[in-house]
Amino acid sequence: MTANIVILQLVILTVVLESDLGRRKIGWFRFARPVIAVAAIVPFFFTTVPTGGNDLILQGAGALTGALLGAFSVCPLLMSVGHDPAWRRRHFRTATTPAKPAVVSHAGAGYAAVWIAVTLARLGFAYGSEHIFPAALGRFLVDQQLSADALANAFILLAIAMDLVRSLGLWARARTHLVQAGIAPAHA
């Protein structure tokens, strides 16, 4: 695992926690941000897509695991979604702007714990693969017909899928809330 992958993991964690922790308006940018990030990340980190042996299965497992973790991160247990008829931005310069209705989410310590735990697990594995169990990992990769590039891609796909599915789940929960509350979605 390279320094680029470590930086990618930390950037994704920071952006997700900054945008989701606390009470936040659910707007278009919260959905567009991961799509923009993926479009920027893919050309730099996916230099090759190995297809030999079991490489595709490993990469698919990384993406599936990320999707499941992303869906879990926006479950009602970790994040609530509601309607605030008098939403007001928190920035001091906009405090005088009139309040507007908005769909908002609230994520706390449980949400942060999931994202931090997943990031630490990925980073811990990356560290261990280079410093603690490189020989055992090498044997495992050879025995299972896997390449190191496929393993790196699996971790990148896990991070990307987790963020994309988080956004998709947030969008679905916001839309469901609007329908259940009898409020017409802005873009029907």
Side-chain angles (χ1 to χ4, degrees):
M1 302 290 167
T2 64
N4 290 340
I5 293 174
V6 172
I7 291 168
L8 170 68
Q9 305 299 327
L10 295 176
V11 166
I12 289 174
L13 176 66
T14 302
V15 169
V16 166
L17 292 181
E18 186 281 324
S19 69
D20 288 344
L21 282 183
R23 193 165 167 262
R24 304 283 189 195
K25 177 182 175 184
I26 301 174
W28 69 270
F29 188 68
R30 282 184 72 190
F31 308 125
R33 186 195 73 239
V35 174
I36 293 167
V38 167
I41 289 168
V42 167
F44 295 106
F45 291 98
F46 279 81
T47 56
T48 181
V49 179
T51 59
N54 293 317
D55 289 345
L56 289 176
I57 294 170
L58 178 62
Q59 294 168 96
L64 178 62
T65 302
L68 293 172
L69 288 168
F72 176 68
S73 74
V74 293
C75 76
L77 178 66
L78 300 175
M79 181 183 283
S80 63
V81 173
H83 183 259
D84 186 346
W87 172 258
R88 191 182 296 266
R89 290 185 181 189
R90 290 189 179 85
H91 303 295
F92 65 92
R93 285 183 267 154
T94 61
T96 60
T97 60
K100 296 179 183 177
V103 178
V104 296
S105 67
H106 184 268
Y111 179 85
V114 167
W115 280 88
I116 291 169
V118 169
T119 301
L120 289 177
R122 288 190 305 244
L123 292 174
F125 183 84
Y127 178 82
S129 69
E130 291 180 3
H131 302 287
I132 298 172
F133 48 83
L137 178 60
R139 280 190 306 276
F140 174 80
L141 292 175
V142 169
D143 291 346
Q144 302 303 317
Q145 299 177 346
L146 299 168
S147 69
D149 286 340
L151 181 61
N153 285 357
F155 278 104
I156 293 168
L157 288 168
L158 187 147
I160 290 170
M162 190 172 175
D163 197 24
L164 288 175
V165 171
R166 175 204 65 86
S167 293
L168 183 61
L170 188 60
W171 173 82
R173 290 200 56 213
R175 189 153 178 90
T176 300
H177 177 76
L178 288 173
V179 169
Q180 288 175 345
I183 304 166
H187 304 288

mmCIF file of all heavy atoms in Angstrom, residues 141-175:
data_model
loop_
_atom_site.group_PDB
_atom_site.id
_atom_site.type_symbol
_atom_site.label_atom_id
_atom_site.label_comp_id
_atom_site.label_asym_id
_atom_site.label_seq_id
_atom_site.Cartn_x
_atom_site.Cartn_y
_atom_site.Cartn_z
ATOM 1 N N LEU A 141 -1.548 -14.470 -1.285
ATOM 2 C CA LEU A 141 -1.876 -13.955 -2.620
ATOM 3 C C LEU A 141 -1.518 -14.978 -3.709
ATOM 4 O O LEU A 141 -2.299 -15.198 -4.637
ATOM 5 C CB LEU A 141 -1.161 -12.631 -2.878
ATOM 6 C CG LEU A 141 -1.637 -11.431 -2.038
ATOM 7 C CD1 LEU A 141 -0.768 -10.211 -2.298
ATOM 8 C CD2 LEU A 141 -3.097 -11.116 -2.290
ATOM 9 N N VAL A 142 -0.361 -15.597 -3.578
ATOM 10 C CA VAL A 142 0.052 -16.604 -4.562
ATOM 11 C C VAL A 142 -0.868 -17.817 -4.498
ATOM 12 O O VAL A 142 -1.344 -18.304 -5.535
ATOM 13 C CB VAL A 142 1.529 -17.008 -4.343
ATOM 14 C CG1 VAL A 142 1.889 -18.234 -5.182
ATOM 15 C CG2 VAL A 142 2.454 -15.847 -4.669
ATOM 16 N N ASP A 143 -1.139 -18.310 -3.295
ATOM 17 C CA ASP A 143 -1.992 -19.492 -3.135
ATOM 18 C C ASP A 143 -3.405 -19.267 -3.676
ATOM 19 O O ASP A 143 -4.026 -20.180 -4.208
ATOM 20 C CB ASP A 143 -2.086 -19.900 -1.664
ATOM 21 C CG ASP A 143 -0.768 -20.450 -1.121
ATOM 22 O OD1 ASP A 143 0.134 -20.766 -1.935
ATOM 23 O OD2 ASP A 143 -0.645 -20.546 0.122
ATOM 24 N N GLN A 144 -3.910 -18.044 -3.525
ATOM 25 C CA GLN A 144 -5.276 -17.735 -3.954
ATOM 26 C C GLN A 144 -5.336 -17.160 -5.365
ATOM 27 O O GLN A 144 -6.398 -16.722 -5.811
ATOM 28 C CB GLN A 144 -5.939 -16.766 -2.964
ATOM 29 C CG GLN A 144 -6.011 -17.274 -1.546
ATOM 30 C CD GLN A 144 -6.731 -18.600 -1.435
ATOM 31 O OE1 GLN A 144 -7.761 -18.817 -2.056
ATOM 32 N NE2 GLN A 144 -6.166 -19.511 -0.656
ATOM 33 N N GLN A 145 -4.210 -17.098 -6.037
ATOM 34 C CA GLN A 145 -4.116 -16.548 -7.396
ATOM 35 C C GLN A 145 -4.618 -15.111 -7.450
ATOM 36 O O GLN A 145 -5.468 -14.752 -8.255
ATOM 37 C CB GLN A 145 -4.883 -17.423 -8.389
ATOM 38 C CG GLN A 145 -4.363 -18.827 -8.470
ATOM 39 C CD GLN A 145 -5.177 -19.686 -9.411
ATOM 40 O OE1 GLN A 145 -6.273 -19.322 -9.819
ATOM 41 N NE2 GLN A 145 -4.651 -20.842 -9.751
ATOM 42 N N LEU A 146 -4.057 -14.291 -6.562
ATOM 43 C CA LEU A 146 -4.412 -12.870 -6.471
ATOM 44 C C LEU A 146 -3.162 -12.032 -6.705
ATOM 45 O O LEU A 146 -2.059 -12.441 -6.368
ATOM 46 C CB LEU A 146 -4.992 -12.557 -5.092
ATOM 47 C CG LEU A 146 -6.260 -13.308 -4.709
ATOM 48 C CD1 LEU A 146 -6.558 -13.130 -3.234
ATOM 49 C CD2 LEU A 146 -7.421 -12.840 -5.564
ATOM 50 N N SER A 147 -3.366 -10.835 -7.224
ATOM 51 C CA SER A 147 -2.231 -9.929 -7.417
ATOM 52 C C SER A 147 -2.286 -8.811 -6.378
ATOM 53 O O SER A 147 -3.349 -8.498 -5.829
ATOM 54 C CB SER A 147 -2.261 -9.333 -8.823
ATOM 55 O OG SER A 147 -3.343 -8.439 -8.954
ATOM 56 N N ALA A 148 -1.137 -8.212 -6.143
ATOM 57 C CA ALA A 148 -1.073 -7.085 -5.203
ATOM 58 C C ALA A 148 -1.884 -5.905 -5.730
ATOM 59 O O ALA A 148 -2.502 -5.171 -4.946
ATOM 60 C CB ALA A 148 0.379 -6.682 -4.975
ATOM 61 N N ASP A 149 -1.905 -5.701 -7.048
ATOM 62 C CA ASP A 149 -2.706 -4.614 -7.629
ATOM 63 C C ASP A 149 -4.196 -4.829 -7.371
ATOM 64 O O ASP A 149 -4.929 -3.877 -7.104
ATOM 65 C CB ASP A 149 -2.458 -4.498 -9.133
ATOM 66 C CG ASP A 149 -1.108 -3.891 -9.457
ATOM 67 O OD1 ASP A 149 -0.527 -3.215 -8.572
ATOM 68 O OD2 ASP A 149 -0.631 -4.087 -10.598
ATOM 69 N N ALA A 150 -4.639 -6.082 -7.456
ATOM 70 C CA ALA A 150 -6.054 -6.372 -7.188
ATOM 71 C C ALA A 150 -6.387 -6.091 -5.729
ATOM 72 O O ALA A 150 -7.472 -5.576 -5.423
ATOM 73 C CB ALA A 150 -6.379 -7.820 -7.535
ATOM 74 N N LEU A 151 -5.461 -6.387 -4.829
ATOM 75 C CA LEU A 151 -5.683 -6.107 -3.413
ATOM 76 C C LEU A 151 -5.779 -4.601 -3.180
ATOM 77 O O LEU A 151 -6.681 -4.130 -2.478
ATOM 78 C CB LEU A 151 -4.564 -6.715 -2.563
ATOM 79 C CG LEU A 151 -4.684 -6.528 -1.059
ATOM 80 C CD1 LEU A 151 -5.958 -7.173 -0.532
ATOM 81 C CD2 LEU A 151 -3.460 -7.104 -0.359
ATOM 82 N N ALA A 152 -4.879 -3.850 -3.788
ATOM 83 C CA ALA A 152 -4.928 -2.379 -3.660
ATOM 84 C C ALA A 152 -6.228 -1.843 -4.246
ATOM 85 O O ALA A 152 -6.891 -0.987 -3.642
ATOM 86 C CB ALA A 152 -3.726 -1.751 -4.349
ATOM 87 N N ASN A 153 -6.618 -2.349 -5.405
ATOM 88 C CA ASN A 153 -7.873 -1.912 -6.020
ATOM 89 C C ASN A 153 -9.075 -2.258 -5.149
ATOM 90 O O ASN A 153 -10.037 -1.489 -5.070
ATOM 91 C CB ASN A 153 -8.044 -2.544 -7.399
ATOM 92 C CG ASN A 153 -7.167 -1.921 -8.448
ATOM 93 O OD1 ASN A 153 -6.442 -0.962 -8.190
ATOM 94 N ND2 ASN A 153 -7.204 -2.463 -9.649
ATOM 95 N N ALA A 154 -9.045 -3.410 -4.496
ATOM 96 C CA ALA A 154 -10.158 -3.798 -3.629
ATOM 97 C C ALA A 154 -10.346 -2.789 -2.501
ATOM 98 O O ALA A 154 -11.473 -2.426 -2.160
ATOM 99 C CB ALA A 154 -9.924 -5.204 -3.068
ATOM 100 N N PHE A 155 -9.246 -2.319 -1.932
ATOM 101 C CA PHE A 155 -9.352 -1.321 -0.863
ATOM 102 C C PHE A 155 -9.842 0.020 -1.397
ATOM 103 O O PHE A 155 -10.619 0.715 -0.738
ATOM 104 C CB PHE A 155 -8.013 -1.160 -0.136
ATOM 105 C CG PHE A 155 -7.785 -2.220 0.895
ATOM 106 C CD1 PHE A 155 -6.916 -3.257 0.657
ATOM 107 C CD2 PHE A 155 -8.460 -2.188 2.101
ATOM 108 C CE1 PHE A 155 -6.712 -4.251 1.604
ATOM 109 C CE2 PHE A 155 -8.279 -3.166 3.057
ATOM 110 C CZ PHE A 155 -7.400 -4.204 2.804
ATOM 111 N N ILE A 156 -9.388 0.401 -2.575
ATOM 112 C CA ILE A 156 -9.858 1.658 -3.174
ATOM 113 C C ILE A 156 -11.344 1.545 -3.508
ATOM 114 O O ILE A 156 -12.127 2.461 -3.229
ATOM 115 C CB ILE A 156 -9.023 2.002 -4.424
ATOM 116 C CG1 ILE A 156 -7.586 2.317 -4.015
ATOM 117 C CG2 ILE A 156 -9.626 3.187 -5.167
ATOM 118 C CD1 ILE A 156 -6.616 2.393 -5.175
ATOM 119 N N LEU A 157 -11.747 0.424 -4.092
ATOM 120 C CA LEU A 157 -13.167 0.218 -4.408
ATOM 121 C C LEU A 157 -14.021 0.191 -3.152
ATOM 122 O O LEU A 157 -15.152 0.682 -3.157
ATOM 123 C CB LEU A 157 -13.345 -1.073 -5.210
ATOM 124 C CG LEU A 157 -12.856 -1.008 -6.650
ATOM 125 C CD1 LEU A 157 -12.798 -2.403 -7.259
ATOM 126 C CD2 LEU A 157 -13.743 -0.095 -7.468
ATOM 127 N N LEU A 158 -13.502 -0.371 -2.069
ATOM 128 C CA LEU A 158 -14.230 -0.375 -0.804
ATOM 129 C C LEU A 158 -14.505 1.066 -0.360
ATOM 130 O O LEU A 158 -15.634 1.410 -0.009
ATOM 131 C CB LEU A 158 -13.427 -1.117 0.261
ATOM 132 C CG LEU A 158 -14.134 -1.341 1.592
ATOM 133 C CD1 LEU A 158 -13.683 -2.658 2.192
ATOM 134 C CD2 LEU A 158 -13.884 -0.234 2.563
ATOM 135 N N ALA A 159 -13.495 1.913 -0.406
ATOM 136 C CA ALA A 159 -13.653 3.301 0.020
ATOM 137 C C ALA A 159 -14.621 4.061 -0.884
ATOM 138 O O ALA A 159 -15.505 4.789 -0.409
ATOM 139 C CB ALA A 159 -12.295 4.000 0.040
ATOM 140 N N ILE A 160 -14.480 3.882 -2.186
ATOM 141 C CA ILE A 160 -15.334 4.592 -3.139
ATOM 142 C C ILE A 160 -16.778 4.118 -3.012
ATOM 143 O O ILE A 160 -17.707 4.929 -2.958
ATOM 144 C CB ILE A 160 -14.795 4.406 -4.574
ATOM 145 C CG1 ILE A 160 -13.482 5.176 -4.736
ATOM 146 C CG2 ILE A 160 -15.815 4.863 -5.604
ATOM 147 C CD1 ILE A 160 -12.749 4.860 -6.028
ATOM 148 N N ALA A 161 -16.988 2.803 -2.966
ATOM 149 C CA ALA A 161 -18.347 2.264 -2.867
ATOM 150 C C ALA A 161 -19.008 2.685 -1.557
ATOM 151 O O ALA A 161 -20.198 3.009 -1.533
ATOM 152 C CB ALA A 161 -18.326 0.744 -2.990
ATOM 153 N N MET A 162 -18.252 2.701 -0.484
ATOM 154 C CA MET A 162 -18.822 3.098 0.806
ATOM 155 C C MET A 162 -19.325 4.538 0.735
ATOM 156 O O MET A 162 -20.425 4.843 1.193
ATOM 157 C CB MET A 162 -17.786 2.939 1.916
ATOM 158 C CG MET A 162 -18.345 3.101 3.301
ATOM 159 S SD MET A 162 -17.093 2.657 4.528
ATOM 160 C CE MET A 162 -17.968 3.083 6.027
ATOM 161 N N ASP A 163 -18.544 5.419 0.129
ATOM 162 C CA ASP A 163 -18.943 6.822 0.026
ATOM 163 C C ASP A 163 -20.116 7.008 -0.941
ATOM 164 O O ASP A 163 -21.065 7.734 -0.652
ATOM 165 C CB ASP A 163 -17.751 7.670 -0.404
ATOM 166 C CG ASP A 163 -17.968 9.149 -0.143
ATOM 167 O OD1 ASP A 163 -18.783 9.495 0.735
ATOM 168 O OD2 ASP A 163 -17.319 9.962 -0.824
ATOM 169 N N LEU A 164 -20.088 6.339 -2.093
ATOM 170 C CA LEU A 164 -21.177 6.473 -3.059
ATOM 171 C C LEU A 164 -22.490 5.915 -2.521
ATOM 172 O O LEU A 164 -23.545 6.543 -2.669
ATOM 173 C CB LEU A 164 -20.815 5.780 -4.376
ATOM 174 C CG LEU A 164 -19.761 6.458 -5.241
ATOM 175 C CD1 LEU A 164 -19.418 5.587 -6.440
ATOM 176 C CD2 LEU A 164 -20.217 7.833 -5.691
ATOM 177 N N VAL A 165 -22.435 4.754 -1.892
ATOM 178 C CA VAL A 165 -23.662 4.156 -1.358
ATOM 179 C C VAL A 165 -24.172 4.955 -0.161
ATOM 180 O O VAL A 165 -25.381 5.076 0.035
ATOM 181 C CB VAL A 165 -23.449 2.664 -1.021
ATOM 182 C CG1 VAL A 165 -24.630 2.085 -0.264
ATOM 183 C CG2 VAL A 165 -23.218 1.885 -2.302
ATOM 184 N N ARG A 166 -23.277 5.547 0.615
ATOM 185 C CA ARG A 166 -23.703 6.449 1.691
ATOM 186 C C ARG A 166 -24.535 7.585 1.118
ATOM 187 O O ARG A 166 -25.609 7.908 1.612
ATOM 188 C CB ARG A 166 -22.496 7.007 2.435
ATOM 189 C CG ARG A 166 -22.878 8.048 3.491
ATOM 190 C CD ARG A 166 -21.725 8.985 3.789
ATOM 191 N NE ARG A 166 -21.347 9.791 2.671
ATOM 192 C CZ ARG A 166 -21.905 10.962 2.331
ATOM 193 N NH1 ARG A 166 -22.898 11.449 3.024
ATOM 194 N NH2 ARG A 166 -21.485 11.636 1.289
ATOM 195 N N SER A 167 -24.053 8.176 0.037
ATOM 196 C CA SER A 167 -24.779 9.283 -0.588
ATOM 197 C C SER A 167 -26.105 8.828 -1.175
ATOM 198 O O SER A 167 -27.122 9.504 -1.023
ATOM 199 C CB SER A 167 -23.929 9.937 -1.673
ATOM 200 O OG SER A 167 -22.826 10.562 -1.097
ATOM 201 N N LEU A 168 -26.098 7.679 -1.838
ATOM 202 C CA LEU A 168 -27.327 7.145 -2.410
ATOM 203 C C LEU A 168 -28.340 6.821 -1.306
ATOM 204 O O LEU A 168 -29.529 7.130 -1.428
ATOM 205 C CB LEU A 168 -27.027 5.896 -3.240
ATOM 206 C CG LEU A 168 -28.205 5.260 -3.957
ATOM 207 C CD1 LEU A 168 -28.817 6.230 -4.949
ATOM 208 C CD2 LEU A 168 -27.755 3.985 -4.655
ATOM 209 N N GLY A 169 -27.874 6.231 -0.228
ATOM 210 C CA GLY A 169 -28.757 5.935 0.895
ATOM 211 C C GLY A 169 -29.311 7.191 1.547
ATOM 212 O O GLY A 169 -30.484 7.245 1.927
ATOM 213 N N LEU A 170 -28.492 8.208 1.659
ATOM 214 C CA LEU A 170 -28.940 9.482 2.224
ATOM 215 C C LEU A 170 -30.003 10.110 1.329
ATOM 216 O O LEU A 170 -31.018 10.609 1.811
ATOM 217 C CB LEU A 170 -27.742 10.417 2.395
ATOM 218 C CG LEU A 170 -27.972 11.711 3.135
ATOM 219 C CD1 LEU A 170 -28.454 11.451 4.555
ATOM 220 C CD2 LEU A 170 -26.679 12.521 3.160
ATOM 221 N N TRP A 171 -29.772 10.066 0.012
ATOM 222 C CA TRP A 171 -30.749 10.601 -0.938
ATOM 223 C C TRP A 171 -32.076 9.844 -0.810
ATOM 224 O O TRP A 171 -33.140 10.457 -0.766
ATOM 225 C CB TRP A 171 -30.209 10.487 -2.367
ATOM 226 C CG TRP A 171 -31.214 10.866 -3.401
ATOM 227 C CD1 TRP A 171 -31.540 12.123 -3.813
ATOM 228 C CD2 TRP A 171 -32.060 9.975 -4.130
ATOM 229 N NE1 TRP A 171 -32.532 12.067 -4.771
ATOM 230 C CE2 TRP A 171 -32.859 10.751 -4.981
ATOM 231 C CE3 TRP A 171 -32.199 8.592 -4.152
ATOM 232 C CZ2 TRP A 171 -33.806 10.189 -5.844
ATOM 233 C CZ3 TRP A 171 -33.133 8.032 -5.010
ATOM 234 C CH2 TRP A 171 -33.921 8.835 -5.846
ATOM 235 N N ALA A 172 -32.001 8.513 -0.749
ATOM 236 C CA ALA A 172 -33.220 7.701 -0.646
ATOM 237 C C ALA A 172 -33.963 7.986 0.652
ATOM 238 O O ALA A 172 -35.199 8.110 0.654
ATOM 239 C CB ALA A 172 -32.865 6.217 -0.741
ATOM 240 N N ARG A 173 -33.244 8.115 1.744
ATOM 241 C CA ARG A 173 -33.906 8.399 3.023
ATOM 242 C C ARG A 173 -34.533 9.790 3.016
ATOM 243 O O ARG A 173 -35.627 9.975 3.552
ATOM 244 C CB ARG A 173 -32.910 8.272 4.179
ATOM 245 C CG ARG A 173 -32.527 6.807 4.393
ATOM 246 C CD ARG A 173 -31.956 6.517 5.731
ATOM 247 N NE ARG A 173 -32.833 6.916 6.805
ATOM 248 C CZ ARG A 173 -32.392 7.363 7.981
ATOM 249 N NH1 ARG A 173 -31.098 7.418 8.225
ATOM 250 N NH2 ARG A 173 -33.234 7.703 8.923
ATOM 251 N N ALA A 174 -33.860 10.775 2.423
ATOM 252 C CA ALA A 174 -34.422 12.130 2.350
ATOM 253 C C ALA A 174 -35.682 12.130 1.497
ATOM 254 O O ALA A 174 -36.703 12.721 1.873
ATOM 255 C CB ALA A 174 -33.393 13.100 1.782
ATOM 256 N N ARG A 175 -35.631 11.464 0.365
ATOM 257 C CA ARG A 175 -36.784 11.406 -0.533
ATOM 258 C C ARG A 175 -37.950 10.677 0.140
ATOM 259 O O ARG A 175 -39.092 11.116 0.061
ATOM 260 C CB ARG A 175 -36.384 10.718 -1.817
ATOM 261 C CG ARG A 175 -37.438 10.791 -2.882
ATOM 262 C CD ARG A 175 -36.788 10.705 -4.239
ATOM 263 N NE ARG A 175 -37.762 10.735 -5.293
ATOM 264 C CZ ARG A 175 -38.206 11.838 -5.873
ATOM 265 N NH1 ARG A 175 -37.745 13.000 -5.484
ATOM 266 N NH2 ARG A 175 -39.085 11.775 -6.838
#
